[in-house]
Amino acid sequence: MKKTVYMLMSMLVVFSILLGACTTAAPATTAAPAEPTQAPKPTEAPKPTEAPKPTEVPAPSMATDAELDAAFGGMLSSMQGYNTIKMDDLNAALAEDKPPFLIDVRTVEEVQESGHITGAVHIPLNELAQHMDVMPDFDVPIVAYCGSGWRATIAMVALEAMGWQDVKALKATFQEWKDAGYAVTEGLPEEAMKLDVAKPDAAILASMDVMLSQVSKPFGVLAAEDFNTALADDPKMIVIDVRKASEIEEQGSIDTGGLEQISVPLEEFVAKRDMWPADKAASIVVYCGSGHRSTMAMTMLWSYGYTDVKSLKGGFSGWKAAGFPVVGGAAAGSAKLDAGYTALLGNMQAYNTIDMETLSAALVEDEPPFLLDVRTTEEVEANGHITGAVNIPLNELAQHLDLLPAFDVPVVAYCGSGWRATIAMTALSAMGWENVKALKATFDDWKAGGYAVTEGLPEAAQSLNAAAPDADVVAAMDAMLSTQGVKPYGVTTAEELNTALAENPDLIVIDVRRQAEVEEQGTVDTGDLPLVQIPLESFVANQDQWPADKAVPIVVYCGSGHRSTMAMTILWSYGYTDVKSMKGGFKAWKDAGYPVKMAGNYLDLAFSTMLENMDSYNTIKADALNAALAEDQPPFLLDVRTTEEVEANGHIVGAVHIPLNELAQHLNLLPALDVPIVTYCGTGWRATIAMVALHAMGWENVKALKTTFEEWETAGYAVADGLPEPGMELNAAQPSADLVAAVDAMLTSKGVKPFGVTTAEDLNLALAENPDLIVIDVRTLAEVQEKGIVDVGEHTFIQVPLEEFIANKGMWPADKAAPIVVYCGSGHRSTMAMTILWAYGYTDVLSLKGGFAAWQDAGYPVKEYVAN
């Protein structure tokens, strides 16, 4: 449009010159000459000198990714109702004393033909960023609309990015507005008044203008039919789902046929920009529930330079309604299952089991429980049944609910071993029965106990039709029981789990015991495979801890097998397809001699205590240690250098020597857990590792000497030649065997040279060569804000103050094999953090020697810290 104006002005200038020339050449009189003479050649006007070219104004620079992050991050954090407004709300707002600024972003042709909402200002979408002079101030509410709502969403996102604080998109078509009888004026609105009150950031404005100027029909719209075709035709397509996890859990996802699908909720879209495709030319389709959120995400991607992004019209709902394939989702709807299982887990007593004696007594009462036998017909025919029972095989249970009593009648389920009875009890509870128990005994035990048994099958049960469970829940239970309610009923053994841990790298193990049990007994040692700990009591409340992939292989265990079978049944009913429960539970695993380790909760407690109580980051200076060694009750002094170092250089008088990599193997030489200990080495590095390790195992007051051995000796403090006398066996402390085993495994592998040391030069090289490197800064927020941070380029950067390192475990890298470098101010705190990460099973962690000071002194790049 600017070019058009410039051309018109140029033509006017030329036309004026020509007109002036013509006027000068014409004679002033009309009298004819007596005799015509040859007209003299007109004097040629001098050629105009070439006008100087106007000075070219450099194009404004485009916004950086960081600037876009800030702009869009602000929008996502403050949006309400995804920044939409309904027709009736807009109509009411337009009648107020201070109505919102109304902007129509359709084309000129559309507005001329259809009219506009009375009071609107008209700017076509692709020209929006070129007419800032007609826009109101940043704090004035704005409502954008178009023909369908699609372009209004794009406009809303762009305006929010440019600084307007309250922009909404009309959640209706223009035709719907007209049909509702709201105020419309024919044709184009009058020319908008120039306000010149808002001045967006030039770089953001330039980026939005470039993006919007390229938006043309169909405005990124992709129909479900076209998307389905594209999935088959474009093997490199990437699909992004911006719905919430709860929506995906309940509804499922689009079946992309194996193409890459990324799930990033819109609320976290900018915060998780590292999940976006790396290739900005990649073919991308975004979808949500209906199309609005995906259009917001599409607009953001365009703004960052992505060139081939579309938004699915109608979203997941439109896709599903068209009959295209869907994967996952809870068949009955998670809300209904949640309600049933929450009631079960909240009201259960003794995990809803009943013993033989109690059941036998209940069966002779005036109102006995309803007795349900869920074995196969063949089993019952061969072995008989408990007198008075009704037989419904487990896999047919949900198909014969007419035979069951009312919801409030007590039911007891039994089978051959108790396993299927647990599954049946869980399923019936989900379907609404309020008091269901599983017999905690085998059928053979019942017979051997002399309780009443009748041979063969019971008589055909009478149809009661006493309960009417929700049809969706029944359908979910029937689908689950028909598949899983047959042998082997999800049973796995300790031996099979041990084999699976070695052979199946995708296996996930879930422990559903209570916290106290885990802390007291330890956990199954799953090696490098994930172990999730969720007490059964809160299993449904903590669904966010369940694996995201419902096809992933899962083994659940508890103390004996009952609770894990309940959890397995729950997972089955939510659509998990490969879940097993370990027979005999943790006891069977441990009795079989398979490896056990301490749980992360032990370490959480130990390290949290250390970080909360540390003074000067648990360091002690040479003069303070020298004074303490002269007191009546000196600290226990521990030298963790190698034998060769001590033999060659001597030791501090009074020290006990245990090499760092052997420390956990000689705890019998250490004092009680409450006795103060000071560790030292050659430089202070290993002393820090030893200090952290001892805290992990339970020692309450351990400090690392903040000086080198050579500095101690140079200061004239007491040193003895060679090795000290062997330490006396004290056997004064009894740390947890599991913790000791974990620390020993860590120190055996990490407590040898180079002890996790990396230099500034090494880090700089790694940043250039290792794209997977993750850098963690454990300084305080005040430090990073004052001094800046290591410039890690495009690498992942995490800032977690050491004081909050355990409390913010959720910020640690998910992959324990990821290469990690930790740094602080000088190297001490990062070595503490490195040791903590080692203790939790991280295998490739280094600490920056000399810390941020060494990096900065070496002249490597530093940048200002900007909080996410």
Side-chain angles (χ1 to χ4, degrees), residues 217-248:
K217 199 170 183 179
F219 315 112
V221 175
L222 184 67
E225 295 80 3
D226 296 331
F227 182 31
N228 186 55
T229 301
L231 286 172
D233 293 345
D234 187 353
K236 295 183 179 180
M237 178 182 288
I238 298 170
V239 181
I240 303 179
D241 184 339
V242 295
R243 294 173 299 157
K244 295 178 181 177
S246 58
E247 294 175 88
I248 297 172

Side-chain angles (χ1 to χ4, degrees), residues 57-299:
V57 179
S61 59
M62 303 287 281
T64 64
D65 286 355
E67 289 170 330
L68 291 173
D69 288 351
F72 290 128
M75 174 188 72
L76 295 177
S77 64
S78 62
M79 64 184 175
Q80 294 182 344
Y82 298 110
N83 289 359
T84 60
I85 187 171
K86 296 179 180 178
M87 291 192 298
D88 52 355
D89 292 332
L90 173 58
N91 187 58
L94 291 174
E96 293 177 357
D97 292 339
K98 293 184 178 180
F101 184 90
L102 191 58
I103 182 167
D104 185 327
V105 294
R106 293 174 297 160
T107 64
V108 172
E109 294 75 16
E110 287 176 277
V111 182
Q112 283 177 327
E113 180 180 344
S114 306
H116 61 276
I117 297 177
T118 303
V121 167
H122 172 243
I123 308 174
L125 178 64
N126 60 338
E127 300 176 17
L128 180 59
Q130 301 165 20
H131 295 283
M132 295 292 98
D133 55 335
V134 303
M135 299 296 294
D137 212 345
F138 287 129
D139 59 353
V140 173
I142 297 175
V143 174
Y145 76 91
C146 61
S148 65
W150 197 275
R151 284 169 286 177
T153 299
I154 297 172
M156 175 269 288
V157 173
L159 289 170
E160 286 272 355
M162 289 187 283
W164 276 273
Q165 299 160 13
D166 182 6
V167 189
K168 290 184 172 61
L170 178 59
K171 195 175 184 180
T173 69
F174 179 72
Q175 189 60 47
E176 287 171 341
W177 176 272
K178 288 178 73 172
D179 292 345
Y182 295 126
V184 171
T185 301
E186 291 184 3
L188 287 165
E190 293 184 8
E191 185 175 352
M193 181 186 302
K194 289 191 177 183
L195 303 175
D196 286 319
V197 292
K199 303 295 181 184
D201 177 85
I204 295 286
L205 180 63
S207 292
M208 293 304 110
D209 189 30
V210 168
M211 182 267 290
L212 292 172
S213 64
Q214 296 171 1
V215 177
S216 59
K217 199 170 183 179
F219 315 112
V221 175
L222 184 67
E225 295 80 3
D226 296 331
F227 182 31
N228 186 55
T229 301
L231 286 172
D233 293 345
D234 187 353
K236 295 183 179 180
M237 178 182 288
I238 298 170
V239 181
I240 303 179
D241 184 339
V242 295
R243 294 173 299 157
K244 295 178 181 177
S246 58
E247 294 175 88
I248 297 172
E249 171 70 26
E250 181 174 348
Q251 302 164 6
S253 303
I254 288 175
D255 185 351
T256 61
L259 298 188
E260 182 178 359
Q261 183 163 192
I262 302 168
S263 174
V264 191
L266 181 67
E267 290 79 355
E268 305 168 23
F269 199 65
V270 171
K272 292 186 174 179
R273 189 159 55 82
D274 58 335
M275 296 177 67
W276 296 3
D279 181 5
K280 292 190 174 182
S283 173
I284 301 170
V285 173
V286 191
Y287 74 93
C288 61
S290 63
H292 175 73
R293 285 173 287 174
S294 57
T295 304
M296 292 178 69
M298 173 185 72
T299 308

Side-chain angles (χ1 to χ4, degrees), residues 370 401 403-411 432-435 464-468:
F370 184 93
L401 300 180
L403 305 181
L404 298 185
F407 286 136
D408 59 352
V409 173
V411 177
W433 276 270
E434 301 162 7
N435 183 0
L464 302 175
N465 291 314

